[in-house]
Amino acid sequence: MANKKAAERQELTTKIVDISSSMRSIIGYMDDTNSWLSSVGESQEIFGKMMNDPKIESLIDNRKDRVQLMYGSITESGNNLIDNACREHLTFNLMYKLNTILLNAIPYGIALCEIIWEKKSGLYVPVDFIPIPRTAINFPRSGNYGVPYLSALNKPLDEPNKFIIHRNDKGDGNLWGTPALRSCYWPWKFKQLGFRFWIQAAERLGVPSILAIFETKNAADAEATAGKLTGMLREMKSGSSGAFANIKEIKVVDGAIKDFETIVKVCNEEISYGITAQSLMTSEAQYGTKSQGLLHAETYNFTTTHDAYLIQQSDQILYNYFVEVNFPGAAAPSYDIDSTDFADWEIIRDAIDRNIPVSLNALYDKVHLPRPENAADSFVKPSASSMYFGDRADSDNSDSFFLRTKSKQTVLK
């Protein structure tokens, strides 16, 4: 009898739901990627659902933002008229608007837009960009290779100077590009199924069961008493109370749902690897060392440098169009995106203090120091005198003061 009761108690305290083993049974419900990637409409629907995942959306936005924050400049063509026109009309805000559309190729593989032109001061100037959904195009087997067609009109998007097509290209020649979301589909799907499984388990085990322990003399009496108590316990609701005869003990049995947090964490790490090629830079680091952090930062920089290289090529198309429309036959300036790391302010400050020449333009453009409007708007902190008397600086040593101030200004220029 004692062994039987011990066995019953052991059964009651055993973990009821073990996600780590039960989740294996639902892998069969996952979709094969080949079945939906071949359909643009279906893949777009799945990608849209994936972008609703806060982890995925934040990683994609971070990857886009890192490219948008990189410094863009032009290498002059040698024609002052053309170079000045590009600086005046192809502004930072215009390029930012264009790249906001084109960088959607990171998650989806391809991004397209139509350029809207207006005539200003005798020049045709791009003023806006209209995104073209990837579901609105196709690549027919016949026709110009690589040229997308507007599906509704069966019209090729090859009108001169009107369209920019940007791909997240991995060098495999895929006309649809390589969507970053594809590589993290499996962990996203697994996490979604994990949420669904957890909700079902919570619905079943969220309300604890009530167990009545009693003693009887024979099996028949035990069966009758158990049936009566079971009916009474089922009728009990939250906050109810009651008295039961011949009851030795009332126990509440909680269901144990373990390992759910671990599953979500592992899935999120795999999603980070799929989108950023590493995880430490985009997740909480508990045990990561400094060397690991540096390695992961370098890996992420390689990814965003590749993004910047591709977007630079598409941005150059806009410069080529602008020059071709307004200055036929002339060479366009080269548009460059500087994806290299810029020195920290402490390094720049030490270089200035050691009289190492530093570019003022770089400080204003890359460090974003406020550029003075004119000489009257310029402020330079007066340097302290090299001679001190007690707590008071030697204010009469004006020659030394102006000499050192002028020296620093000369170096900065």
Side-chain angles (χ1 to χ4, degrees):
M1 189 66 177
N3 292 337
K4 183 178 180 181
K5 288 185 177 180
E8 290 175 350
R9 290 192 178 94
Q10 177 64 32
E11 184 178 352
L12 289 172
T13 57
T14 300
K15 184 167 56 176
I16 298 176
V17 177
D18 183 0
I19 290 185
S20 59
S21 59
S22 301
M23 283 292 289
R24 298 190 188 101
S25 64
I26 64 177
I27 294 179
Y29 291 98
M30 288 184 167
D31 302 325
D32 183 5
T33 55
N34 292 330
S35 65
W36 54 266
L37 277 175
S38 58
S39 170
V40 179
E42 187 175 358
S43 64
Q44 186 67 30
E45 181 181 357
I46 293 177
F47 286 160
K49 293 178 181 179
M50 293 177 70
M51 286 297 291
N52 289 330
D53 186 297
K55 182 67 174 181
I56 292 178
E57 183 181 29
S58 64
L59 291 174
I60 293 293
D61 287 345
N62 182 267
R63 188 165 155 182
K64 291 179 182 179
D65 291 342
R66 285 172 69 95
V67 177
Q68 290 280 48
L69 291 174
M70 293 179 183
Y71 175 67
S73 62
I74 66 171
T75 300
E76 297 181 347
S77 66
N79 188 319
N80 290 334
L81 179 62
I82 294 176
D83 296 336
N84 291 335
C86 289
R87 288 193 183 93
E88 179 181 355
H89 297 291
L90 304 182
T91 62
F92 170 84
N93 289 338
L94 185 72
M95 303 305 295
Y96 191 96
K97 182 186 295 186
L98 170 63
N99 291 341
T100 298
I101 297 174
L102 299 185
L103 284 171
N104 283 317
I106 291 177
Y108 303 123
I110 189 171
L112 310 87
C113 70
E114 178 183 359
I115 307 171
I116 305 301
W117 298 83
E118 287 186 4
K119 196 163 187 180
K120 295 183 178 180
S121 303
L123 296 177
Y124 288 98
V125 178
V127 293
D128 202 2
F129 309 96
I130 300 177
I132 302 173
R134 62 194 292 269
T135 53
I137 65 166
N138 65 83
F139 290 95
R141 294 183 179 180
S142 60
N144 295 331
Y145 179 79
V147 176
Y149 278 62
L150 202 60
S151 300
L153 303 175
N154 195 29
K155 173 182 173 60
L157 303 181
D158 58 357
E159 187 174 341
N161 310 315
K162 280 290 290 180
F163 302 99
I164 295 180
I165 304 163
H166 181 70
R167 295 178 176 88
N168 187 37
D169 187 11
K170 297 297 183 181
D172 56 1
N174 191 339
L175 295 178
W176 292 98
T178 306
L181 293 179
R182 176 180 182 176
S183 59
C184 62
Y185 169 75
W186 288 108
W188 168 80
K189 187 70 172 179
F190 193 81
K191 187 170 73 168
Q192 294 300 306
L193 293 172
F195 271 112
R196 189 183 307 171
F197 182 83
W198 180 80
I199 291 172
Q200 292 175 352
E203 289 177 349
R204 181 168 298 183
L205 303 174
V207 179
S209 301
I210 302 175
L211 181 67
I213 299 176
F214 59 92
E215 294 180 351
T216 59
K217 295 180 180 180
N218 53 64
D221 188 19
E223 185 175 350
T225 304
K228 184 185 299 183
L229 288 173
T230 299
M232 297 174 66
L233 291 174
R234 284 177 178 173
E235 293 177 359
M236 290 185 64
K237 297 182 179 179
S238 177
S240 301
S241 61
F244 303 93
N246 299 323
I247 296 298
K248 181 179 179 180
E249 188 177 358
I250 295 289
K251 285 192 174 183
V252 176
V253 182
D254 290 321
I257 307 177
K258 297 184 178 180
D259 305 327
F260 177 70
E261 182 180 353
T262 302
I263 288 178
V264 173
K265 181 180 178 181
V266 171
C267 289
N268 283 339
E269 287 182 354
E270 293 301 311
I271 289 172
S272 296
Y273 279 115
I275 296 177
T276 67
Q278 50 77 52
S279 66
L280 195 59
M281 287 288 292
T282 51
S283 60
E284 183 180 356
Q286 284 183 302
Y287 308 109
T289 63
K290 180 178 180 181
S291 59
Q292 285 178 322
L294 292 175
L295 177 61
H296 283 229
E298 290 180 359
T299 304
Y300 196 11
N301 287 338
F302 292 150
T303 300
T304 53
T305 296
H306 180 71
D307 294 335
Y309 171 75
L310 295 177
I311 207 71
Q312 173 183 294
Q313 292 180 312
S314 294
D315 289 344
Q316 182 65 50
I317 293 175
L318 183 64
Y319 274 80
N320 295 342
Y321 284 173
F322 177 76
V323 174
E324 183 179 342
V325 168
N326 295 291
F327 309 95
S334 299
Y335 182 73
D336 302 304
I337 294 180
D338 188 358
S339 59
T340 58
D341 290 335
F342 198 65
D344 296 332
W345 173 248
E346 290 75 12
I347 298 176
I348 298 173
R349 183 185 59 198
D350 291 342
I352 294 174
D353 290 340
R354 287 164 174 76
N355 292 335
I356 299 176
V358 175
S359 169
L360 273 180
N361 286 332
L363 290 178
Y364 289 133
D365 294 335
K366 298 195 67 171
V367 184
H368 303 297
L369 293 177
R371 186 187 294 271
E373 295 180 2
N374 47 50
D377 185 48
S378 178
F379 173 78
V380 178
K381 179 182 177 181
S383 299
S385 173
S386 61
M387 297 180 64
Y388 289 86
F389 295 91
D391 295 333
R392 181 178 63 85
D394 181 13
S395 58
D396 294 334
N397 193 10
S398 57
D399 292 340
S400 174
F401 165 74
F402 283 110
L403 178 61
R404 289 186 293 108
T405 303
K406 182 179 180 181
S407 175
K408 285 195 174 185
Q409 291 176 332
T410 301
V411 170
L412 285 174
K413 291 178 180 179

